[in-house]
Amino acid sequence: MERASADALEAEPDGFFDILEERRRDSDIKHALRTFNPQPYRGATPTSASALNRMVLESQYLSYIIQEIALESDEPHEVILEEASSILEEMGQNLQLGFIRLLGFIMSKVFKSLFRSIRVNQDGLTRLQQAIQEYPVILMPNHRSYVDFLVVSYIMFTYDLSIPVIAAGIPLMGMKLIGEIFRRSGAFFIRRAIGSDKLYWAVLSEYVRTIVRTGFAPVEFYVEGLRSRTLKSLTPKLGMMNMVLEPFFKGEVFDISLVPISISYDRVLENSLLAHELLGVPKPKETTGGLLKARTVLKEDYGCMHVYFGSPMSVRDLVKGKMNHKQYNLVPRDLPMKPNKETQEFVSGLAHMMVRLQEKNVVQSPWNLMAFIVLQNLQGIDFNQLTHRTLWLKRLALRFGAHLNWPKHISDSEVMSSSIMLHHSVVCCERGRVNLVEEAGPGPVSQEEAVFRRAAAVLMCASYRNQALHVFNRPAMVAITMTTAANNRTDDLFRRFNFLLELFSNEFVFIPGQVVQDFEEGCSLLQQSGIIGCSNKEVYVRDDSQETVAFLRAILQPLIESYQVVFRFLCEESSLIFREKNFLPSVRSFIMKLLISGEVHSYECLSSDVQKNVLSALLRMAAVTKTKVDEQNEFTVNKAAVKRIWDLLNGEMTPRISSDARL
């Protein structure tokens, strides 16, 4: 039978090729039933899913933890072992080729209906094929859509690469039939709220470590933890990261390869759903019935998807000079060992680096750039002016290192028109003027409803801007510092940049301990682009670049206003103490009134994710403290500290700087 081959396909000029092209020419059933012959990890011994589970249950590590729990709880060893077995039965994958073939057939039909093309970098597949044979491989995609969960396995199946086992959220397991298909296609299911459940943590960590140690299959997980509702990168979660790295730290494998994967969409299936979630509308429960009702999405056009497989990163090379993992030699491999501070810092830095690599290789669409311009012109913008401004931004984005999928064989005007047509649920062009599209509803609407509809439209558009925000955030932060610093001396600008980085560290992903590099990167991009100049340790804006600096500042203005309005809420509240469950509704009501009165202008202030990030920043900066009362989180506000941070953000005070963050 024929087999799809990356080598047989002609790559596009930019190094990507469309994996759906052959599917449109050939039989889907033939593709699903073809010979599948991947080259596995050379160190692996063929193991069934049931044998893998037995290895976990019979491991010395799990026996040790069960013995500890038995002593602490005074329950019999056998009862706790039975509970561990039940956890594993709920959690475990049951990878079967027959179900991979079934999913491959279904996904060929679905993907051809949804997408014009799915473009993959050929050199990435070649590197991955080699890496899988040499060492255990960890696949680390970004997470922007439910489609992410399926597309990597589909690509791996199409090009004869070992099918990964995938860490999935427990709600997917509850979907009748679909959950079982996912399980038999390699998904293993993890509870969302594990908390301090010692046995669950032990079963999960031993399960993951056993998969890595035995080379059972590549492991795929989302280092961001959750699907991003704003389509920005999320601060990485370190639980799974620690688990997949521990076999290397303990010397059970010689090396591990980490592969960052960047998935980007011209149009995201869940765009409207995500915007409404940010405005407080509850997320629909994942059910098979809901999935079947959502099949109407198959009639829509979602443009192109790009999947970039990054270069495999050797953990053995990355760890050199960063940490001494000989500490693990002092404790038997089968015993639990809490990582020391050095190990924690290495794992955290590595996780942040993987997210940055995901960002670096994301392919941007023209609409991602158009969204920046549209959001700075909410009153509407002339189509020709939008085209002119987007082409200007395109040049700037390319100078800043963006990867851009800009169609080569049609006019720029056609590129713009086709982008507007693709995103007809977000923008429209009438009589030569481009405006956001707001939800239609019956009869007259209240002021609150009008604001809600406007905010939903803004947040839908903002999600596409957010996919490209990492390209501009460092230069934009430098531009902000040049407005709010007392003078333009480099050290003063750096002091204010360091403050912004600390404040916004939940908004953007910064590698810990690299604030100097981030500041220098922002300055360097501006200088190389001819926007700023440096003389006698002072930075100045070139005469012909004032408009560019103003544009960069405007990119972050909605974020700054969001933080300012939450600070105002906390400072004006009569109570110094509030419960977590009351925070978002109270803030949302406060902001809604200010938007209606015109005191606040940015509809992005209503985003619950930003509001949560402000609270996290204040906790980190010790302006708010958190305690547990009656099983609920309670926050105490230090209004003076909040006011000080507010003044710093407004440029009314000069931030102090710690000794470990100096130029």
Side-chain angles (χ1 to χ4, degrees), residues 424-634:
H424 59 86
S425 61
V426 182
V427 284
C428 64
C429 184
E430 294 179 351
R431 300 187 188 89
R433 195 160 183 83
V434 178
N435 288 284
L436 287 178
V437 172
E438 295 182 26
E439 291 179 344
V445 297
S446 64
Q447 288 181 310
E448 288 82 1
E449 179 63 21
V451 169
F452 182 92
R453 292 182 182 183
R454 186 64 166 169
V458 168
L459 289 175
M460 285 172 67
C461 188
S463 66
Y464 290 100
R465 174 208 62 198
N466 289 346
Q467 291 184 79
L469 207 51
H470 63 273
V471 175
F472 301 98
N473 59 6
R474 286 158 181 79
M477 284 169 64
V478 173
I480 292 289
T481 66
M482 296 182 73
T483 308
T484 55
N487 58 64
N488 280 354
R489 287 183 57 83
T490 308
D491 52 352
D492 285 330
L493 296 181
F494 174 71
R495 187 179 289 111
R496 192 155 292 281
F497 182 93
N498 183 65
F499 163 75
L500 290 176
L501 185 143
E502 183 181 7
L503 186 64
F504 295 149
S505 63
N506 287 97
E507 304 294 343
F508 311 117
V509 175
F510 303 102
I511 298 174
Q514 293 198 10
V515 60
V516 173
Q517 292 92 321
D518 286 317
F519 177 69
E520 289 176 345
E521 179 188 332
C523 291
S524 176
L525 289 171
L526 291 171
Q527 195 166 8
Q528 290 169 14
S529 303
I531 298 167
I532 64 170
C534 295
S535 175
N536 297 324
K537 294 188 177 181
E538 286 206 0
V539 178
Y540 59 92
V541 180
R542 297 188 183 277
D543 291 340
D544 58 352
S545 298
Q546 295 289 347
E547 187 181 353
T548 303
V549 170
F551 172 83
L552 291 170
R553 288 200 301 264
I555 289 174
L556 295 184
Q557 192 52 44
L559 187 62
I560 290 171
E561 188 171 10
S562 298
Y563 274 62
Q564 288 169 331
V565 75
V566 177
F567 295 160
R568 177 177 169 181
F569 165 77
L570 293 173
C571 289
E572 291 184 5
E573 268 292 292
S574 57
S575 175
L576 296 176
I577 299 173
F578 60 89
R579 291 281 176 97
E580 185 172 30
K581 67 177 183 179
N582 299 326
F583 175 68
L584 290 179
S586 300
V587 171
R588 190 179 297 120
S589 175
F590 180 78
I591 295 172
M592 181 68 77
K593 291 174 183 174
L594 294 178
L595 282 165
I596 290 171
S597 69
E599 290 182 70
V600 167
H601 300 95
S602 174
Y603 292 90
E604 293 182 56
C605 295
L606 283 171
S607 166
S608 60
D609 276 21
V610 174
Q611 293 159 11
K612 290 175 188 174
N613 288 343
V614 179
L615 189 57
S616 295
L618 293 175
L619 279 165
R620 191 174 54 251
M621 299 169 82
V624 170
T625 54
K626 180 169 72 172
T627 52
K628 206 83 165 175
V629 178
D630 300 330
E631 297 301 310
Q632 292 189 43
N633 288 328
E634 193 170 86

Side-chain angles (χ1 to χ4, degrees), residues 271-552:
N271 188 225
S272 176
L273 182 71
L274 295 174
H276 284 79
E277 281 182 40
L278 291 171
L279 292 171
V281 178
K283 176 184 175 183
K285 187 178 179 183
E286 288 112 338
T287 64
T288 304
L291 181 65
L292 293 174
K293 288 176 185 174
R295 65 184 183 276
T296 53
V297 301
L298 297 175
K299 299 174 184 176
E300 288 279 341
D301 177 8
Y302 289 90
C304 302
M305 182 200 306
H306 282 81
V307 183
Y308 185 96
F309 288 84
S311 297
M313 310 290 289
S314 161
V315 174
R316 192 172 192 84
D317 289 344
L318 291 166
V319 83
K320 288 176 183 173
K322 299 282 179 64
M323 62 169 279
N324 179 10
H325 58 281
K326 290 180 181 178
Q327 57 171 306
Y328 286 89
N329 298 337
L330 304 175
V331 178
R333 289 175 179 173
D334 295 324
L335 295 184
M337 181 178 176
K338 188 176 180 180
N340 61 19
K341 184 182 178 185
E342 185 184 51
T343 303
Q344 291 173 0
E345 288 177 352
F346 171 74
V347 172
S348 175
L350 186 54
H352 282 78
M353 184 180 80
M354 297 307 290
V355 176
R356 291 285 289 125
L357 288 170
Q358 291 169 354
E359 290 181 336
K360 178 185 174 185
N361 295 319
V362 162
V363 176
Q364 307 294 343
S365 71
W367 171 242
N368 294 134
L369 301 184
M370 293 165 66
F372 280 88
I373 311 299
V374 171
L375 287 167
Q376 293 190 19
N377 296 272
L378 290 180
Q379 75 285 359
I381 183 171
D382 178 76
F383 176 82
N384 291 330
Q385 187 183 2
L386 176 61
T387 303
H388 174 75
R389 295 285 290 163
T390 302
L391 291 174
W392 166 81
L393 186 57
K394 172 190 171 186
R395 293 190 292 272
L396 184 63
L398 291 172
R399 287 200 295 267
F400 283 0
H403 299 286
L404 191 57
N405 177 41
W406 193 280
K408 299 180 178 68
H409 305 299
I410 60 174
S411 69
D412 293 326
S413 179
E414 288 176 292
V415 170
M416 304 292 289
S417 296
S418 64
S419 294
I420 291 171
M421 288 177 63
L422 180 65
H423 295 278
H424 59 86
S425 61
V426 182
V427 284
C428 64
C429 184
E430 294 179 351
R431 300 187 188 89
R433 195 160 183 83
V434 178
N435 288 284
L436 287 178
V437 172
E438 295 182 26
E439 291 179 344
V445 297
S446 64
Q447 288 181 310
E448 288 82 1
E449 179 63 21
V451 169
F452 182 92
R453 292 182 182 183
R454 186 64 166 169
V458 168
L459 289 175
M460 285 172 67
C461 188
S463 66
Y464 290 100
R465 174 208 62 198
N466 289 346
Q467 291 184 79
L469 207 51
H470 63 273
V471 175
F472 301 98
N473 59 6
R474 286 158 181 79
M477 284 169 64
V478 173
I480 292 289
T481 66
M482 296 182 73
T483 308
T484 55
N487 58 64
N488 280 354
R489 287 183 57 83
T490 308
D491 52 352
D492 285 330
L493 296 181
F494 174 71
R495 187 179 289 111
R496 192 155 292 281
F497 182 93
N498 183 65
F499 163 75
L500 290 176
L501 185 143
E502 183 181 7
L503 186 64
F504 295 149
S505 63
N506 287 97
E507 304 294 343
F508 311 117
V509 175
F510 303 102
I511 298 174
Q514 293 198 10
V515 60
V516 173
Q517 292 92 321
D518 286 317
F519 177 69
E520 289 176 345
E521 179 188 332
C523 291
S524 176
L525 289 171
L526 291 171
Q527 195 166 8
Q528 290 169 14
S529 303
I531 298 167
I532 64 170
C534 295
S535 175
N536 297 324
K537 294 188 177 181
E538 286 206 0
V539 178
Y540 59 92
V541 180
R542 297 188 183 277
D543 291 340
D544 58 352
S545 298
Q546 295 289 347
E547 187 181 353
T548 303
V549 170
F551 172 83
L552 291 170

